[in-house]
Structures are given as structure tokens and as C-alpha cells.
């Protein structure tokens, strides 16, 4: 659910990074936080376990600039990827304007990718939404690893909707901003459509 | 009542809600009050907000309220309406309202939990009334005249979006 505040002249949108455990969702946010100008970002909040696994969510507020005199503020969230944190994932997913699914390219993680994508579809369905009706992009992360599955195999397994996809090595910052921009574009296009409908 | 798919707040809405929060802050003898949506976005705030990271506060409060709501469900309650966090010098009351809203009062030893709760109830009614009208307007669809006169967001073009994301 986007929030347009005419008094503050702000557009607020929520984007959620989803994906299996250890796929690199938090790393995406950390890279964005590290590289964005201090004036364009707020605090990076991580509610994590002692071993730095996401317990509830990571949160990063980000200003993308102005559009028609309105500041565009994106609230980026990650969900905990571990299977047993599904209740938390559902809470974070609520009200999202767009989803970035981070897939782990390693061959041994393909099953987890598929399982997590199915979990995303199921959780959205429970909330009366569908991936078909919302801004959604894929990021194929960890492309630099030797055991990475080919892009065509990733596409076949995960991208039946033919949504925009991006290759990334999030730990090195590669592909991180391209993915975010791809998602932001779809979110703003969707918002424009809703405003002018 | 559910929140509309997209929350659109005009200047008069903001002024009305800000006035309610200002009065609540004074009546409850609070340090500050905040109205958030359940997604952790600040709608308006009043009182001593300088030096507070409202964005961070809002996301954490929303997360906390969401978790509390799920806890309520686990023990067979529809919801826990309020959450109180007590500290040495600062306390927070977090109250979930209709329309997917969360009202937060930050207070210290100058006030009491009883007074804050009492004042929150009245403010909640006023906020609820304001959002009934906001939701009614949203259900009628976008008011093009109002939108155009207050900013013209409906004129966003694909080029605007491309240009925003170029940098």
C-alpha cells in the first residue's frame, strides 16, 4: 500500500526482499546502505540473531529523489529466509508495493529457491494478492560462484512469469542497484496507473 | 475498517490529524505523539520530535505491533489493543486503531499511564472519524480536481520515472 502525503509532498512505497535463507537479502540492503549518499538514507535497522541471521526484518529507508515535486521515499525490508520464520515473513510482506525475489544461484540451493518462491505466492495469496498483479522482479545472486546454475536454468525454474531479472554478486555490490531500480520503476509505474485509473 | 489500497493524505487531512495529535500531546502531558500506518510509515507527529529518528521509530513500532497482533491470535484474542513499554526515563504506549493505524505516545514522569490511556481514547475517536472520511473519499476514486490542484501527481510520465532512476 503506497502512501501519498500531499502535505509533506512525499510518496512512500514499501519494497520487500524475499528469498531463501542465506541468499543475500540482507547483503543487498547493506550494499545499498554503504554506497548511498548519507543524505538519501536513514538508519539501517537489522533485527537479527546473535549469529547475524535475520530474525524479524532489516529495514532501510531510502530517498530516490523527486518526481513532479514529490519526494519518493522507498522503505526497503527484508524477510527472514529460514523456513521456520514464516509468521514473520507474512507480517513483513503485508502492505508491500513490490517484491524483489533474491535467488541463490548455487545448484544445491535451487530446491530452496523454488520452495521460497512457492511460499511467497502462498503468503501473498493468503493476503488476497498475487504475484501476477504486483510489481515483481528476480535477482539471480551469487553469479560469481563456481557452482552457479546457468541463467537459462534459473529462468526455467523461477521465471515463468517472464518478469525483469538481474544477475548479481551482492557481496561485491554487483547488480544490487540495477535490481532496486528495476523494482522501483515497476512500483512507480504501478502507482501511476493507480493514480490515473 | 480496512485501510484503502493506497492512502492519500491531503493538506487538510494532515492539518486535522496534526491538530488532534497536538491536543493529545498537551492533554496527556506527553513528550510526543505519533500516528503511523501499520506498514511503519509516519502519517503525522506532534510534540518534541526533534532529535528522534521518526522513520526508524515507526518501522520498529509497526513491527512490534504486528508481532503483538500475531501473539494475540495465538492465544485466541482478536487483538491486543495496546502495548506499554516502560523505561527508566521514557515510556511508550502503542495503540492499534481501526483503519490500520497505530497511535504512539512518548511520555515521562510528568504523566501517568492512566492519563495517557484516557486521552488516547478520545484522540482515537477523532482520528477514526477523520479516516472514515478519508476512506470514503478513497472509495469514490481519485478526485482529479483535488489531485491536480494539490500537485498534479496524475501527470507523472514514464519519462519522469526513467529520469528519477537514471542517477
Amino acid at each position: 500500500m503506497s502512501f501519498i502525503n500531499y502535505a509533506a509532498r512525499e510518496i512512500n512505497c514499501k519494497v520487500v526482499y524475499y528469498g531463501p535463507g542465506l541468499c543475500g537479502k540482507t547483503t543487498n540492503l547493506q550494499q545499498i546502505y554503504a554506497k548511498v549518499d548519507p543524505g538519501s538514507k536513514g538508519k539501517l535497522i537489522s533485527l537479527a540473531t546473535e549469529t547475524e541471521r535475520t530474525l524479524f526484518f532489516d529495514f532501510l529507508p531510502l530517498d530516490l529523489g523527486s518526481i513532479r515535486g514529490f519526494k519518493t521515499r522507498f522503505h526497503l525490508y527484508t524477510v527472514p529466509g529460514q523456513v521456520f520464520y514464516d509468521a514473520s515473513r507474512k507480517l513483513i510482506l503485508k502492505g508491500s508495493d513490490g517484491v524483489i525475489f533474491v535467488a541463490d544461484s548455487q545448484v544445491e540451493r535451487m530446491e530452496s529457491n523454488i520452495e521460497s518462491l512457492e511460499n511467497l505466492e502462498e503468503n501473498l495469496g493468503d493476503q488476497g494478492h498475487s504475484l501476477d498483479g504486483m510489481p515483481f522482479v528476480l535477482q539471480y545472486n551469487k553469479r560469481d560462484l563456481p557452482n552457479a546454475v546457468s541463467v537459462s536454468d534459473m529462468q526455467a525454474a523461477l521465471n515463468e512469469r517472464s518478469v525483469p531479472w538481474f544477475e548479481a554478486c551482492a557481496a561485491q555490490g554487483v547488480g544490487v542497484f540495477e535490481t532496486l531500480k528495476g523494482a522501483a520503476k515497476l512500483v512507480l509505474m504501478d502507482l501511476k496507473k493507480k493514480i490515473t485509473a | 475498517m480496512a485501510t484503502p489500497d493506497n492512502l492519500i493524505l491531503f493538506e487538510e487531512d494532515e492539518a486535522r490529524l496534526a491538530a488532534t495529535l497536538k491536543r493529545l500531546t498537551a492533554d496527556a502531558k506527553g513528550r510526543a505523539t505519533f500516528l503511523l500506518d501499520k506498514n511503519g510509515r509516519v502519517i503525522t507527529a506532534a510534540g518534541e520530535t526533534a532529535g528522534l529518528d521518526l522513520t526508524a521509530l515507526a518501522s520498529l513500532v509497526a513491527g512490534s505491533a504486528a508481532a503483538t497482533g500475531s501473539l494475540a491470535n495465538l492465544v485466541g484474542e482478536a487483538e491486543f489493543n495496546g502495548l506499554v513499554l516502560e523505561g527508566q526515563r521514557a515510556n511508550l504506549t502503542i495503540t492499534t486503531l481501526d483503519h490500520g493505524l497505530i497511535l504512539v505516545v512518548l511520555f515521562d514522569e510528568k504523566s501517568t499511564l492512566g492519563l495517557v490511556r484516557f486521552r488516547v481514547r478520545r484522540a482515537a475517536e477523532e482520528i477514526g472519524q477523520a479516516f472514515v472520511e478519508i476512506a470514503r473519499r478513497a472509495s469514490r476514486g481519485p478526485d482529479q480536481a483535488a489531485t491536480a490542484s494539490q500537485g498534479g501527481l496524475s501527470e507523472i510520465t514514464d519519462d519522469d520515472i526513467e529520469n528519477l532512476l537514471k542517477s
Side-chain angles (χ1 to χ4, degrees):
Chain A
M1 187 190 78
S2 54
F3 169 29
I4 302 171
N5 188 335
Y6 279 88
R9 299 193 74 73
E10 279 180 7
I11 301 169
N12 290 267
C13 300
K14 176 177 179 179
V15 171
V16 173
Y17 285 76
Y18 212 96
L22 296 173
C23 68
K25 302 175 289 296
T26 300
T27 307
N28 266 269
L29 254 61
Q30 287 168 337
Q31 287 289 341
I32 293 166
Y33 182 77
K35 289 183 180 159
V36 165
D37 177 71
S40 302
K41 67 188 177 190
K43 268 186 200 153
L44 172 60
I45 292 171
S46 288
L47 301 182
T49 64
E50 286 178 358
T51 52
E52 298 192 3
R53 300 294 303 273
T54 302
L55 175 63
F56 196 2
F57 60 81
D58 305 300
F59 168 70
L60 177 63
L62 192 66
D63 286 347
L64 286 189
S66 290
I67 194 162
R68 297 261 162 182
F70 280 74
K71 270 190 252 170
T72 53
R73 311 192 80 186
F74 274 70
H75 287 187
L76 309 180
Y77 284 85
T78 67
V79 298
Q82 294 177 86
V83 173
F84 47 86
Y85 287 141
D86 198 38
S88 301
R89 271 194 296 279
K90 285 180 182 175
L91 293 178
I92 304 305
L93 194 58
K94 271 186 190 166
S96 56
D97 297 301
V99 176
I100 294 170
F101 185 88
V102 181
D104 188 327
S105 296
Q106 298 179 90
V107 64
E108 58 269 32
R109 299 296 292 160
M110 282 309 286
E111 204 174 312
S112 299
N113 289 330
I114 293 165
E115 193 181 359
S116 179
L117 185 59
E118 285 175 356
N119 174 256
L120 168 62
E121 289 171 322
E122 194 180 310
N123 285 342
L124 278 174
D126 288 348
Q127 295 169 14
H129 298 291
S130 156
L131 274 181
D132 297 324
M134 77 184 308
F136 174 54
V137 303
L138 289 162
Q139 180 187 79
Y140 301 144
N141 194 22
K142 308 190 188 183
R143 297 305 304 160
D144 54 330
L145 296 185
N147 51 346
V149 174
S150 71
V151 168
S152 58
D153 284 351
M154 299 287 288
Q155 284 281 84
L158 303 169
N159 199 6
E160 65 173 28
R161 292 176 176 80
S162 299
V163 298
W165 55 275
F166 304 88
E167 292 186 74
C169 309
Q172 285 81 48
V174 177
V176 168
F177 282 91
E178 289 79 357
T179 308
L180 175 62
K181 284 180 180 180
K185 183 178 172 181
L186 293 185
V187 167
L188 291 170
M189 295 278 191
D190 188 55
L191 181 65
K192 177 195 160 197
K193 202 166 68 186
K194 284 173 181 163
I195 290 172
T196 55
Chain B
M1 189 169 178
T3 320
D5 274 354
N6 290 294
L7 173 59
I8 298 179
L9 208 67
F10 290 113
E11 288 180 26
E12 60 269 27
D13 304 321
E14 207 275 339
R16 180 177 175 180
L17 294 166
T20 300
L21 259 60
K22 196 175 167 189
R23 192 163 53 246
L24 170 61
T25 310
D27 289 348
K29 300 186 193 305
R31 274 166 52 185
T33 52
F34 319 93
L35 182 66
L36 326 171
D37 74 0
K38 63 184 173 186
N39 297 313
R41 293 178 287 216
V42 181
I43 294 171
T44 189
E48 300 167 23
T49 56
L52 280 174
D53 185 338
L54 290 189
T55 309
L57 185 145
S59 78
L60 290 170
V61 165
S64 181
T68 304
S70 291
L71 277 173
N73 295 338
L74 283 178
V75 297
E77 281 290 320
E79 60 181 346
F80 291 136
N81 291 324
L83 183 64
V84 180
L85 306 174
E86 293 182 90
Q88 295 281 344
R89 288 178 301 275
N91 313 291
L92 285 173
T93 63
I94 300 169
T95 310
T96 53
L97 311 179
D98 284 346
H99 307 279
L101 301 169
I102 303 169
L103 180 58
V104 183
V105 180
L106 169 64
F107 65 100
D108 54 25
E109 74 284 353
K110 290 182 190 133
S111 188
T112 63
L113 181 57
L115 177 65
V116 170
R117 279 187 169 149
F118 177 71
R119 297 301 186 186
V120 160
R121 272 200 293 275
R122 177 178 155 187
E125 284 172 19
E126 289 180 18
I127 292 165
Q129 185 55 39
F131 269 82
V132 165
E133 289 164 31
I134 291 167
R136 196 179 295 143
R137 186 183 63 211
S139 68
R140 289 199 302 264
D143 183 337
Q144 297 295 346
T147 305
S149 69
Q150 297 199 52
L153 263 184
S154 56
E155 293 158 21
I156 286 180
T157 64
D158 291 357
D159 283 346
D160 288 334
I161 295 170
E162 291 287 351
N163 288 334
L164 176 74
L165 299 172
K166 258 183 197 165
S167 52

